[in-house]
Amino acid sequence: MGPQAASLVLLILFFACNGVNSSSVQQKIYVELKNTFPCVRLLNATHQIGCQSSISGDTGILHVLETESDLNWVLSSGPNPPYLVLMDAQYFNRSTMMRFRDSMRVAGVVLVIPKSSPPQGFSPHNSCPNQGTGVYSKNYGPELADCNTTVWNPLGDGLSYEDFNFPIFSLHEDNDTDIIRKCYQDHNVGVNNSAPQYPLCAMQLFSHMHAVKDTVTCMRRTDIQSRFSISPEIVCDALTDYNVWASIRPLNNTAKGHLNGEKLVVAATRLDSRSFFWDEAPGAESGVAGFVTLLATVQALRAVTETAPTPNNILFVFFQGEAFDYIGSSRMVYDMKNGKFVIDLDNIHSLIEIGQVALRRDSKLWLHSDPVSRKNSSIESEVKKLVSNMQHAGAGLRFSLDEPGVTQPLPPSSFQRFLREGVIPGVVLADHQSAFNNRYYESLYDNAEYLNVTYPPNLSPEEQLEFVTNTAKDVAEVATLVARSLYIQAGGEKANLPNISADPKMVTQMLYGFLVQPNNSWFRALVAPDVVQKLGPRPLQYYIGVHDKSDPIKTSTRIIQYILANFTGTVTNLSQSQCQNPENLPGESKDLYSYLWVQGPVAPNSTQGEGYCIRAPVRLSRAVSPAFELQDYGSKDYSTWAESRWKRINARIFLVASRDLEMLTLGVGVGVLLVSLLVTYFINAKADVLFSSSREPSSTAY
């Protein structure tokens, strides 16, 4: 073996040996942080919002923001920029974040989510939600457009709609935050207000986003990749999931378009919510209270409609993606308009939408209607009749119903997307007369505690599941009102109204499952086995997200689908294989029903549920904006929201040496390299001398 080959082998062995321990060395250098929730990049037809890091992550000296002097330290007086700021909730506001964005001294921000919400309120959403995609415009009620008469979300500072060129993460108060604070206290706090000495504690955040500029650009780049690349790299995806709908009497899912001789009363609500951070959207008041109310409404109507059915059918609809310019409702209206849904707009008799209903004041709920369409005498008559029916249905309940006394537009609601295509009588039921009662609209603080879904101490999880909270009682009363109103509106006899009442225990189980602990015995008994595996200890989140081939339907959507099936369907004697393929069985019809296999309750001495098959008039329909089907990515009529793709979301802390020491180390390293090159050159040049073999003496001639 020659000298160069020997050197190469030694070098390979050196790196191989060191490679074995590289992971353990990395663990000694870095502390990886878990349970982080990033702000990610979103795009629409005109611009981008959200946050991202550089492609290799952004690093800064850690500084904990606790006082105003800490803010000055980060922005001006601190000697070691850039800083990566760990902050408490009181400083996470538009003013502070804009100062950080305009400064060149901030590498990133980490928000520590407190256990209690900021008392002053906080909403990073716009003050005028879904502005420009509702019904009010220069052509329809121009005096009501752009929140000219009513600012619905006055606490909204628009922070969620800003674009930041550095990463922003959130962390819950746990061991990670304790480790970060200890690292800061041990290394970054100077003595007697002096500058701290190296080594300093630093943090690095990775959240590089692939998409830039707007949806038009990112979809064009995705299309080019798909056309010309062998292994295309998608840079963004449309926000999408599924609407859930059901009806009292089954509708033929294969027959699309106008349903002759049928008029349906529509009961609608929204499924989704959002916050500043990706998939950190508890949505208690903005979403959960509304869809729990509608689920309880369905359950309350079940018994009476079986014994005394209504002349008109009732359609229950749960819209997905409404926080992003009405994705779900605009898609269903588009399908109705184009003959792609089981009914069309002419089949709608009237509409009742459940908005935010859990924070009522002075024992009042409000019925909002559209003042523009009410100028039509026939619509005015129908709306008056609807309001009268609802007030009659609410008689004897622990709240009153009223209409706003001044002319104002509808609050942000799915109903607005129906009115864009035609005049329909309808109301939006809400707990606010004008501005939202919700002080945490579309924020991470809109959670179970805010709705007072709390429990006495020392209750086990099963006891909490059964404990009927005051909030559950209030929501059950709202559901009773809606159920009775729908029954009258669909032509039912008023004499049957006392038999319609929502179950507070059922409501408390739903609130517990959707807001506190989804992995509970009641949820597990009602859903499919594959859904059970996705129930974790963390509360469900209601950000719509994007299509995932391995998990195409959000877990929360699946749970609502199965609960709705249990409330509207019947248990069959079909086996699991028959439940999955019922089309050839006598008396079964996949055109009229969905067939869902449910895990069932688990017996006390068993680990497996007693599964059963439900036949139910429950369906899913795509909740993706028509803009993506039409490939009109710059649309002004439909939502164009897309989410950027990324490869790595990560956060870690470590100690960093001073710049002088780093430069000295670099200089020494370069010097060692040069010396090594010289030595290698000398050895190669003298190899025949240094590595020559001793020669045998010449043979003796005999």
Side-chain angles (χ1 to χ4, degrees), residues 149-393:
T149 60
T150 306
V151 178
W152 296 107
N153 186 34
L155 292 176
D157 62 10
L159 188 62
S160 288
Y161 290 87
E162 294 293 340
D163 185 38
F164 294 91
N165 60 357
F166 54 76
I168 304 175
F169 282 45
S170 66
L171 281 172
H172 290 270
E173 283 278 10
D174 56 16
N175 291 336
D176 279 351
T177 54
D178 293 339
I179 292 171
I180 295 171
R181 292 182 191 279
K182 186 176 188 307
C183 185
Y184 172 77
Q185 290 291 334
D186 290 348
H187 299 279
N188 292 13
V189 177
V191 180
N192 297 325
N193 296 322
S194 63
Q197 301 298 310
Y198 284 95
L200 298 176
C201 185
M203 181 179 281
Q204 188 173 34
L205 303 179
F206 298 88
S207 63
H208 181 67
M209 302 285 119
H210 294 341
V212 295
K213 193 176 180 182
D214 52 41
T215 300
V216 178
T217 303
C218 85
M219 295 305 292
R220 183 179 67 245
R221 291 178 178 177
T222 296
D223 183 61
I224 293 172
Q225 284 274 340
S226 300
R227 288 173 183 267
F228 301 108
S229 176
I230 297 175
S231 55
E233 183 170 345
I234 310 299
V235 296
C236 71
D237 300 279
L239 296 183
T240 179
D241 192 52
Y242 288 84
N243 298 324
V244 186
W245 61 269
S247 54
I248 293 291
R249 293 189 291 275
L251 299 171
N252 190 334
N253 196 47
T254 60
K256 308 294 185 182
H258 186 70
L259 199 60
N260 291 326
E262 285 275 2
K263 284 288 186 179
L264 292 89
V265 179
V266 177
T269 193
R270 60 182 279 189
L271 292 181
D272 67 306
S273 185
R274 67 165 300 193
S275 77
F276 186 85
F277 298 99
W278 179 79
D279 207 25
E280 182 81 353
E285 161 75 341
S286 62
V288 175
F291 69 67
V292 166
T293 299
L294 188 52
L295 287 170
T297 296
V298 176
Q299 192 267 342
L301 279 170
R302 174 69 180 271
V304 71
T305 52
E306 286 182 342
T307 58
T310 56
N312 291 330
N313 205 347
I314 302 174
L315 181 69
F316 307 101
V317 186
F318 300 77
F319 290 120
Q320 183 65 273
E322 299 300 273
F324 292 93
D325 293 331
Y326 306 118
I327 292 173
S329 58
S330 64
R331 178 53 184 261
M332 184 168 284
V333 171
Y334 173 84
D335 288 345
M336 288 182 177
K337 181 182 175 184
N338 291 280
K340 298 180 179 181
F341 193 66
V342 294
I343 65 170
D344 64 11
L345 294 168
D346 291 334
N347 288 127
I348 298 177
H349 173 275
S350 52
L351 186 148
I352 298 175
E353 180 172 350
I354 304 170
Q356 301 180 79
V357 292
L359 297 174
R360 61 178 184 255
R361 296 173 181 167
D362 302 323
S363 299
K364 272 195 172 184
L365 286 175
W366 298 91
L367 297 173
H368 298 268
S369 57
D370 172 41
V372 179
S373 62
R374 290 186 70 168
K375 293 176 182 178
N376 180 308
S377 59
S378 62
I379 295 296
E380 170 69 7
S381 174
E382 288 296 328
V383 172
K384 280 187 174 181
K385 187 186 299 183
L386 174 55
V387 170
S388 175
N389 286 341
M390 295 190 71
Q391 289 175 335
H392 179 83

